[in-house]
Amino acid sequence: MTDTHHHPENDSQFAGLTVNSGVVQPPSVNPYMQRGRRRKPMPEVSELVEGILKGDVTMLSRAVTLIESTAPDHYARAQEVIEKCLPYSGKSKRIGLTGVPGAGKSTSIDVFGLHVLKDPEARLAVLAIDPSSERTKGSILGDKTRMEKLSVHPNAFIRPSPSAGSLGGVARKTRETIVLCEAAGYNNIFVETVGVGQSETAVHSMVDFFLLIQVAGTGDELQGIKRGIMEMADGIVINKADGDNIPRTQLAQAQFRSALQLFPPTPSGWKPEVLTYSGYFELGIPEVWDMIDRYFKFVKDNGFFDQKRRQQARYWMYETIDEQLRSHFYNDADIAATLLKLDREVESNRRSSFTAAREVLDRYFNDIKK
Ligand code: GDP
């Protein structure tokens, strides 16, 4: 390569040193790359609402993302979307499903869902409340990969549990997502949860029918199930009634039936039923759904359906107030710093719990809230 440029280092005083001109380098940035492709900006409220009402799944998903967001300006916009969708919501069957891990929830939701979707008019949204996702930063409930057949069905919409925040926060977001799904035309809503804790109460307070999925096995099925969860159930279904397991499921069915007789009458007047089925082998599915249909007819006829929904609306108003007060309080930087200090003082016995609480509450009510 001939050197056409002058380099001072090539002067005779620097003999022994030869500097060649460089090679032209290709640009380090791909000129063909299009900018701004990574994340589309969040559409305007009106665009989201319009899309949702047309049943546009992309707009629905984006709006749910807005609900799940923790950014304060997102919160306000999400509330606007919900408010505008509210008049179009409410026309669905809301069904809660719970069961311990391994009970067969995902297998069952898959086949129950396909059963529901045999009706060409049916649209199904599967949502979830998973309090553990707070810790594991990712929810397995409502995960598409667990519901193989539903996940590819054009009339099904599957959304995993919102993962951030308290149980109250997670539950509120799921409840708000129900509103959007209904406005988008989903006339069947499943809300899944793990049958181990408090989340059942939250699910129970947002659904019309609460289904408890059980498995038979050890002979003492009733142990380990919290009485409160059984009391909430409108139906108990014992899964895995197939092969050698059939006699065990029948025994469990008899046990559950007699246990339920000892319970006080339900506020709806409906007598919870106990059925057996096999999610895996798809046995007894129409019978389970027949029970659920009969329940809906029963409570719509006796007025309990509307009464319960009105009660639930009130419940969610108070829940939302509680949740917002808590988060406003705990998310305040000044309160957080004061709490950190008081926390140590209380722990080391230098302060009483009550005066510490008083101090931080005074600070909140007198200085911050104003
Ligand atoms: P989940 O944790 O409640 O969602 O439970 P899965 O649906 O993942 O099921 C747990 C295990 O039970 C899986 O290995 C399933 O294949 C199995 N299973 C689910 N339903 C049935 C059933 O009806 N019969 C039998 N024999 N196994 C089942």
Side-chain angles (χ1 to χ4, degrees), residues 99-108 141 146 192 239-242 277-281:
V100 293
K105 289 182 297 304
S106 40
T107 316
S108 304
L141 288 190
R146 292 166 63 239
E192 179 189 12
N239 189 19
K240 311 194 187 183
D242 45 58
Y277 75 106
S278 167
Y280 191 82
F281 293 98

Side-chain angles (χ1 to χ4, degrees), residues 309-323:
R309 285 215 171 169
R310 284 196 302 270
Q311 270 176 7
Q312 289 176 333
R314 288 176 51 230
Y315 173 89
W316 284 99
M317 179 179 82
Y318 289 111
E319 279 293 297
T320 307
I321 293 171
D322 285 357
E323 189 224 334

Side-chain angles (χ1 to χ4, degrees), residues 70-370:
T70 46
D73 63 317
H74 282 176
Y75 179 81
R77 282 160 72 194
Q79 294 308 312
E80 241 185 284
V81 175
I82 295 161
E83 205 64 33
K84 294 209 161 81
C85 285
L86 215 48
Y88 305 94
S89 73
K91 295 180 221 84
S92 79
K93 291 177 174 172
R94 303 171 182 165
I95 296 164
L97 303 102
T98 193
V100 293
K105 289 182 297 304
S106 40
T107 316
S108 304
I109 289 172
D110 216 21
V111 293
F112 289 154
L114 289 183
H115 180 78
V116 167
L117 290 174
K118 276 187 196 153
D119 174 358
E121 302 284 303
R123 301 284 181 278
L124 170 66
V126 181
L127 313 175
I129 292 184
D130 181 3
S132 65
S133 63
E134 196 185 333
R135 263 170 281 131
T136 54
K137 288 287 171 228
S139 167
I140 51 154
L141 288 190
D143 187 345
K144 285 186 179 196
T145 55
R146 292 166 63 239
M147 295 153 202
E148 283 174 26
K149 296 183 205 119
L150 268 191
S151 62
V152 293
H153 198 293
N155 293 344
F157 175 77
I158 303 177
R159 185 85 187 191
S161 172
S163 61
S166 61
L167 170 60
V170 170
R172 173 183 54 81
K173 289 169 185 176
T174 303
R175 152 107 186 161
E176 291 174 346
T177 301
I178 293 180
V179 171
L180 302 196
C181 289
E182 289 176 346
Y186 290 88
N187 49 14
N188 291 271
I189 313 282
F190 287 1
V191 186
E192 179 189 12
T193 191
V194 179
V196 285
Q198 289 231 300
S199 46
E200 284 69 38
T201 318
V203 174
H204 185 246
S205 61
M206 65 177 82
V207 297
D208 309 308
F209 185 96
F210 194 67
L211 188 70
L212 174 59
I213 299 177
Q214 287 289 332
V215 277
T218 52
D220 46 11
E221 273 55 70
L222 299 177
Q223 288 185 11
I225 307 156
K226 294 198 182 68
R227 188 190 153 93
I229 295 179
M230 258 183 83
E231 240 168 294
M232 281 190 272
D234 300 297
I236 297 176
V237 287
I238 301 154
N239 189 19
K240 311 194 187 183
D242 45 58
D244 296 346
N245 209 27
I246 291 177
R248 275 196 294 270
T249 55
Q250 285 170 340
L251 179 65
Q253 184 180 32
Q255 288 177 332
F256 275 114
R257 279 184 177 154
S258 53
L260 281 178
Q261 301 212 318
L262 303 173
F263 281 29
T266 58
S268 60
W270 166 261
K271 286 199 172 52
E273 297 184 12
V274 185
L275 300 175
T276 66
Y277 75 106
S278 167
Y280 191 82
F281 293 98
E282 302 185 25
L283 305 167
I285 311 296
E287 288 76 3
V288 172
W289 233 257
D290 178 58
M291 161 177 73
I292 294 177
D293 286 340
R294 275 186 289 110
Y295 171 87
F296 274 96
K297 184 167 181 341
F298 182 84
V299 292
K300 282 193 173 165
D301 286 350
N302 75 5
F304 183 78
F305 180 86
D306 290 322
Q307 184 194 327
K308 187 173 178 184
R309 285 215 171 169
R310 284 196 302 270
Q311 270 176 7
Q312 289 176 333
R314 288 176 51 230
Y315 173 89
W316 284 99
M317 179 179 82
Y318 289 111
E319 279 293 297
T320 307
I321 293 171
D322 285 357
E323 189 224 334
Q324 294 293 307
L325 285 176
R326 275 171 159 274
S327 79
H328 187 258
F329 178 80
Y330 285 106
N331 289 337
D332 184 273
D334 194 79
I335 292 295
T338 312
L339 269 178
L340 198 68
K341 175 178 77 87
L342 291 172
D343 185 294
R344 283 198 216 103
E345 291 179 8
V346 171
E347 202 199 0
S348 59
N349 249 329
R350 282 177 283 145
R351 276 292 280 273
S352 86
S353 319
F354 307 103
T355 62
R358 194 67 260 157
E359 180 184 325
V360 71
L361 287 172
D362 281 347
R363 200 174 174 84
Y364 182 70
F365 287 117
N366 299 333
D367 302 341
I368 292 161
K369 240 184 74 256
K370 287 208 174 123

